[in-house]
């Protein structure tokens, strides 16, 4: 089996990223640095990444995490901030889990984590416009005119956002609770969409990705996706 496919089966990276790991000289077979992408791995070979043995994951792991505010979505942080890896229960700690996409530091809610690089790449591909539902809180009242601007799209980084759904689900004069469904995944997109109409999001939580809902999963808790949920996400 080709080395990049083998590394992908180990959950080390997608096949494309695995090629880069080889080119960067981080991969060894039987202790010898691999210097060609065309290299094959045999049944009795031992493959290491950065000196650590890697083995094919026969059963990938798919987790739903209710990310609290104050955690960043990365495997390790050079500034030593808390990462979502700290939320992963001990029994998964030796697995090569990584977050599927990002929620910003201040945003909470539904985050997927997996060992399956191909699953992650498919879900994150810009062509795959899976709707993501957010509960946002905005100070004061928000008018239909303002929401219409959000729905029609606002300019972020010189490019208009796609049309989206947005509705007020509760308002008491002090705070408006808005449900917004977007199909793109630009950096801090919901917050910046409201900033574009001079309104600040004071609380943001992702409650669904497609039909997969956070439901009653407590803040900071983790559960495995059901086989049906994994199958659904593979098909969207
Ligand atoms: N929009 C944001 O503003 N932040 C997120 O984390 C996700 C979407």
């Amino acid at each position: 089996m080709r080395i990049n496919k083998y590394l992908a089966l180990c959950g080390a990276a997608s096949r494309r990223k695995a090629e880069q790991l080889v080119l960067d000289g981080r991969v060894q077979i039987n202790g010898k640095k691999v210097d060609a992408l065309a290299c094959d791995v045999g049944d009795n070979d031992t493959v290491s990444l950065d000196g650590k043995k890697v083995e094919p994951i026969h059963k990938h792991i798919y987790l739903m995490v209710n990310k609290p505010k104050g955690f960043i979505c990365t495997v390790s942080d050079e500034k030593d901030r808390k990462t979502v890896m700290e939320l992963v229960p001990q029994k998964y700690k030796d697995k090569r889990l990584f977050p599927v996409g990002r929620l910003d530091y201040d945003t909470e809610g539904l985050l997927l984590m997996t060992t399956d690089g191909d699953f992650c790449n498919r879900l994150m591909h810009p062509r795959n416009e899976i709707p993501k539902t957010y509960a946002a809180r905005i100070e004061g009242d928000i008018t239909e005119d303002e929401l219409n601007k959000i729905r029609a799209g606002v300019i972020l980084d010189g490019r208009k956002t796609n049309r989206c759904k947005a509705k007020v689900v509760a308002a008491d004069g002090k705070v408006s609770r808005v449900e917004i469904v977007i199909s793109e995944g630009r950096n801090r997109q919901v917050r910046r969409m409201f900033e574009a109409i001079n309104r600040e999001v004071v609380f943001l939580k992702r409650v669904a990705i497609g039909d997969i809902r956070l439901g009653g999963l407590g803040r900071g808790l983790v559960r495995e996706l059901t086989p049906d949920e994994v199958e659904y996400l593979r098909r969207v």
Side-chain angles (χ1 to χ4, degrees):
M1 182 189 301
R2 279 286 147 91
I3 184 67
N4 63 331
K5 183 170 180 199
Y6 187 92
L7 288 167
L9 288 179
C10 296
S14 66
R15 278 199 214 178
R16 197 172 41 78
K17 291 210 178 117
E19 289 181 354
Q20 196 56 50
L21 294 176
V22 172
L23 295 174
D24 292 344
R26 295 171 59 187
V27 180
Q28 299 96 35
I29 298 180
N30 304 326
K32 192 162 168 281
K33 190 164 98 185
V34 179
D35 50 16
L37 292 173
C39 197
D40 285 326
V41 181
D43 283 348
N44 297 319
D45 288 334
T46 300
V47 177
S48 318
L49 170 63
D50 296 332
K52 210 170 147 196
K53 185 175 171 188
V54 288
E55 287 173 295
I57 301 168
H58 295 295
K59 192 174 173 299
H60 277 300
I61 297 165
Y62 305 88
L63 301 179
M64 173 189 289
V65 180
N66 183 351
K67 175 187 130 30
K69 172 180 176 155
F71 285 79
I72 63 160
C73 292
T74 178
V75 173
S76 67
D77 181 46
E78 72 285 357
K79 291 191 201 145
D80 244 14
R81 291 169 295 184
K82 285 188 286 188
T83 76
V84 289
M85 300 311 290
E86 294 174 39
L87 301 168
V88 171
Q90 192 59 37
K91 68 172 174 172
Y92 303 113
K93 289 274 191 213
D94 62 338
K95 313 288 184 227
R96 288 176 171 268
L97 279 159
F98 48 86
V100 179
R102 297 212 163 144
L103 287 176
D104 71 54
Y105 184 80
D106 290 317
T107 296
E108 56 179 75
L110 173 49
L111 177 75
L112 300 176
M113 293 183 76
T114 187
T115 52
D116 185 343
D118 288 335
F119 172 88
C120 176
N121 286 343
R122 265 202 317 276
L123 269 181
M124 295 307 298
H125 197 283
R127 211 178 34 222
N128 185 349
E129 296 192 340
I130 183 164
K132 289 165 280 267
T133 308
Y134 293 85
R137 251 179 250 158
I138 323 283
E139 257 171 50
D141 283 328
I142 184 146
T143 64
E144 273 302 298
D145 273 356
E146 286 176 309
L147 281 187
N148 280 337
K149 287 184 189 154
I150 296 278
R151 291 174 184 131
V154 296
I155 307 286
L156 298 183
D157 309 318
R159 197 159 52 87
K160 202 170 181 183
T161 56
N162 289 349
R163 293 185 68 79
C164 72
K165 292 185 188 158
K167 66 178 182 201
V168 174
V169 289
D172 61 7
K174 290 196 195 119
V175 176
S176 301
R177 290 157 65 128
V178 175
E179 184 184 273
I180 172 162
V181 185
I182 59 171
S183 54
E184 301 159 281
R186 302 208 223 162
N187 186 33
R188 299 180 69 253
Q189 179 162 342
V190 173
R191 293 179 190 278
R192 292 196 299 141
M193 286 171 78
F194 281 93
E195 277 162 24
I197 60 160
N198 296 316
R199 301 302 303 263
E200 192 194 349
V201 172
V202 291
F203 171 86
L204 189 62
K205 177 176 183 176
R206 182 156 67 193
V207 294
I209 297 178
D211 291 348
I212 307 295
R213 300 198 69 86
L214 188 60
L217 186 66
R219 192 177 276 140
L221 296 186
V222 175
R223 74 160 170 87
E224 287 192 17
L225 293 183
T226 65
D228 282 351
E229 286 172 328
V230 174
E231 197 44 42
Y232 163 79
L233 289 166
R234 282 189 191 290
R235 278 186 287 105
V236 286

